């Protein structure tokens, strides 16, 4: 079974085979995790994203999907970009959020990654409530991680996010 670990801090400082980016559909950068990954990872990641836009992803990446690039100067082999859903009060978009984790893990396994670091997708600018985002993240990691992925590490930016994930992880 996959090992799920929690770390509090900046995901761009982690060492892992794959680091997941909470991207937006343009793949051309944004705020939050996305901005931090491009800043610290350097221009090679953006160049790879532009190449994707010029080839198979002319319209960008759809919500719930994932695609890998180089990790540039990050301490990782790959960055896996995934587009979380924007939180909606009217519409249940949980399946799309679960899909981000599942598709990222599927690609990580395809790439031979053993360790995968995730941020709390959609819980920043996209407004997803932290407790629910943590529940979906932990449940999906438990059910969707495939060999050779051995460790799914959630890297949580602040105390509140860490506490929400810890509660889900240790819930009976
Ligand atoms: P989204 O647009 O999917 O909501 P954000 O990047 O705005 O993505 O936020 C996702 C989560 O990542 C939020 O909980 C935010 O606090 C957190 N976050 C922001 N920067 C970092 C970082 N450098 N490392 C880890 N988590 C981060």
């Amino acid at each position: 079974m996959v090992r799920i670990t929690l770390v509090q801090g900046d995901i761009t400082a982690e060492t892992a085979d794959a680091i997941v980016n909470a991207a937006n559909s343009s793949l051309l950068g944004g705020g939050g995790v996305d901005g931090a990954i491009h800043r610290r990872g350097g221009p090679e990641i953006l160049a790879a994203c532009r190449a994707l836009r010029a080839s198979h992803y002319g319209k960008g990446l759809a919500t719930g999907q994932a695609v890998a690039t180089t990790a540039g100067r990050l301490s990782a082999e790959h960055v896996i970009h995934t587009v979380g859903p924007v939180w909606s009060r009217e519409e249940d978009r949980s399946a799309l959020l679960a899909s981000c984790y599942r598709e990222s893990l599927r690609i990580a396994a395809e790439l031979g990654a053993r360790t995968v670091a995730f941020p709390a997708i959609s819980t920043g600018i996209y407004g997803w409530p932290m407790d629910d985002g943590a529940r979906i993240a932990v449940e999906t990691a438990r059910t969707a991680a495939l060999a050779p992925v051995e460790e799914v590490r959630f890297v949580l930016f602040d105390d509140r996010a860490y506490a929400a994930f810890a509660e889900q992880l240790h819930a009976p």
Side-chain angles (χ1 to χ4, degrees), residues 9-11 22 32-33 36 120 122-126 130 155 157:
D10 177 350
I11 197 166
V33 176
S122 287
T123 64
I125 297 159
Y126 284 0
M130 187 58 78
V155 184
F157 211 38

Side-chain angles (χ1 to χ4, degrees), residues 28-52:
L28 300 179
V33 176
D34 200 8
I37 282 179
H38 284 288
R39 261 194 314 278
R40 189 141 173 180
E44 226 192 310
I45 301 175
L46 188 58
C49 288
R50 286 194 202 284
L52 288 173

